[in-house]
Amino acid sequence: MKILFAPIGDPSNYQDVTYKIDNKEYETNACFRAISDHLGIDKVIVYAGLSLCEGCNDLKCCIDSVKQKVSNKIGSNFDLLIAPNIYGTKFIQRDRRNTLYFDFVYFNSLKILEQSKPDEIYIDITHGINYMPLLATDAIMLATYTYIVESVKDVALKIYNSEPVIRGNKGPYTIDNIYSEKITVRQALISLLSFFLSNDSRNVITNEILKVKQKNKEKNRTTYLCRPDLIYSLVNSLSGGVFPYIMLKAKEINECLKKLENLFEKLDFNNYSIKLVFEQGGVVYEDTMPIEVSYLHSLMKGASRITHENDEHIKISEIRNLANNYSVSDAVKYMILNEVDQIQDKYGNNIPDQPTLYAKIRGDVVTKPCLVDKRNLLAHGGLEERHLHLEGERGNSHEL
């Protein structure tokens, strides 16, 4: 399955020219058409800006207006999504930023990837204008990383761009592959985590994104959309391969993810509900959403893929699979695999069918589990002398 994303500007002045890819020529007024024909693309997604809207005073009219303008010029045999973008003083966000465009492209691209399940992803940035190709590319790449971690498979990503078209010159214009990479699950996971590693991003996420403004008079009370400690514990756990911690936090992870997805509901193109105010010949987006929300959503999506329906015990084989699939380095992977091998080699035949303390399996004197045991598990993530439920290969649960 091959999918192509293409952000575009105003297609009104697009003209028929000859594009050339790998010495083959295609005559069209849209570069992504040539790419689609040449590569045998299965699905084409075009992102147009809401600022193409003319003569309207509500969202539905604007969407219909943009669809008509695009189809009149470059047809309609592709999926057209209309993103909230800014354009001078005509279309602006109330906070004077341009973040809704990024969040819209990220969220809807991810949904499309999850539904289509492609093996190859392409982006054409030829027809984007101003900041749109840059933000769209970053947003689509973030969606791609998230999709790869969710699907646990390597995916090819390629970006194309054409030579600038000069009015009156029919070409041919060469379309170049300017970026190409086979992205592995490990690379995707590292990319998701890297955003959270700076102190600046941590301050923004903790104090501006997660912190919920109080509507009551309890000035000393602070509430959060999701617990900040959870977010950065997940970052550390994913970086260090502490998969048992992630599984123990399954319920909280899924609750946080649900809250984040509720924020994205207004940007779901199938249920578009952003608030627009038409004033003084322009349009103001009343809704705002920082791009950090997209990165948080991406992290929680990845973490939720690792969680387990039973947050009390897991199979030893599952820990092995997680180490193979989600370790950010070979050092982390082999540390975990070595410890799992030691447990299976030494105690595999002696592990009872019921959850049992690891110390008892080893024949140690068993004392009442204490907070130190839990601290060791969460801090180090190793299995030896940690307090952890495991299941044998027959599906029986064991507590280590």
Side-chain angles (χ1 to χ4, degrees), residues 82-361:
I82 301 162
N85 68 315
I86 62 172
Y87 180 68
T89 57
K90 182 181 176 184
F91 279 74
I92 62 171
Q93 287 183 201
R94 182 65 74 185
D95 61 359
R96 311 298 295 189
R97 302 178 69 188
N98 56 10
T99 56
L100 284 177
Y101 182 81
F102 181 97
D103 293 322
F104 178 95
V105 174
Y106 159 75
F107 184 69
N108 288 281
S109 296
L110 178 58
K111 287 188 63 178
I112 291 167
L113 293 175
E114 290 172 336
Q115 293 165 3
S116 303
K117 298 178 172 55
D119 303 296
E120 300 176 22
I121 299 171
Y122 300 85
I123 306 173
D124 172 33
I125 62 173
T126 301
H127 297 293
I129 187 171
N130 296 332
Y131 64 87
M132 292 170 68
L134 174 61
L135 285 188
T137 298
D138 284 350
I140 294 166
M141 290 184 75
L142 179 62
T144 298
Y145 298 144
T146 311
Y147 163 70
I148 290 172
V149 172
E150 283 189 287
S151 59
V152 199
K153 68 176 182 179
D154 301 347
V155 171
L157 175 66
K158 297 183 180 181
I159 301 175
Y160 284 84
N161 192 18
S162 165
E163 294 177 308
V165 172
I166 301 173
R167 184 175 297 278
N169 186 340
K170 294 294 185 178
Y173 296 97
T174 301
I175 299 174
D176 291 316
N177 174 201
I178 61 173
Y179 174 88
S180 180
E181 185 175 12
K182 184 83 168 181
I183 304 175
T184 66
V185 177
R186 178 180 293 181
Q187 289 173 296
L189 183 57
I190 291 172
S191 296
L192 295 188
L193 295 174
S194 62
F195 176 81
F196 296 88
L197 299 182
S198 74
N199 288 330
D200 287 342
S201 69
R202 179 165 189 158
N203 290 334
V204 171
I205 289 171
T206 301
N207 298 316
E208 298 182 26
I209 309 304
L210 295 178
K211 190 175 290 186
V212 178
K213 294 181 180 179
Q214 294 297 306
K215 296 182 180 180
N216 53 40
K217 296 181 180 180
E218 299 178 33
K219 296 181 180 180
N220 295 326
R221 185 185 173 197
T222 300
T223 60
Y224 292 92
L225 180 71
C226 302
R227 189 166 55 86
D229 286 348
L230 170 68
I231 302 301
Y232 286 92
S233 293
L234 289 176
V235 171
N236 292 334
S237 298
L238 287 167
S239 299
V242 192
F243 303 119
Y245 173 84
I246 300 171
M247 293 184 170
L248 289 172
K249 294 298 179 181
K251 182 178 180 181
E252 192 173 1
I253 289 170
N254 290 327
E255 288 175 351
C256 178
L257 179 59
K258 185 176 181 180
K259 291 178 181 178
L260 291 169
E261 295 202 324
N262 287 340
L263 296 178
F264 278 103
E265 283 185 355
K266 60 192 172 190
L267 293 178
D268 184 340
F269 188 68
N270 294 317
N271 188 30
Y272 223 160
S273 58
I274 60 171
K275 296 178 182 178
L276 301 183
V277 175
F278 293 78
E279 56 183 32
Q280 298 178 353
V283 177
V284 177
Y285 305 117
E286 288 289 337
D287 290 307
T288 61
M289 184 186 295
I291 65 171
E292 287 85 359
V293 177
S294 291
Y295 285 93
L296 271 175
H297 181 268
S298 175
L299 173 69
M300 302 312 288
K301 270 281 189 176
S304 69
R305 177 64 177 81
I306 295 175
T307 58
H308 194 276
E309 64 272 9
N310 189 327
D311 60 1
E312 293 184 353
H313 52 81
I314 59 175
K315 294 179 181 179
I316 294 177
S317 61
E318 287 178 332
I319 294 180
R320 182 184 295 280
N321 289 337
L322 290 173
N324 281 319
N325 291 331
Y326 293 110
S327 296
V328 297
S329 71
D330 285 338
V332 170
K333 180 175 77 172
Y334 290 119
M335 178 184 70
I336 298 171
L337 295 180
N338 180 61
E339 202 159 1
V340 169
D341 287 340
Q342 287 180 0
I343 291 173
Q344 291 184 314
D345 292 344
K346 191 170 184 178
Y347 305 109
N349 295 327
N350 297 321
I351 299 178
D353 292 338
Q354 298 301 316
T356 306
L357 286 175
Y358 187 31
K360 187 174 182 179
I361 295 173

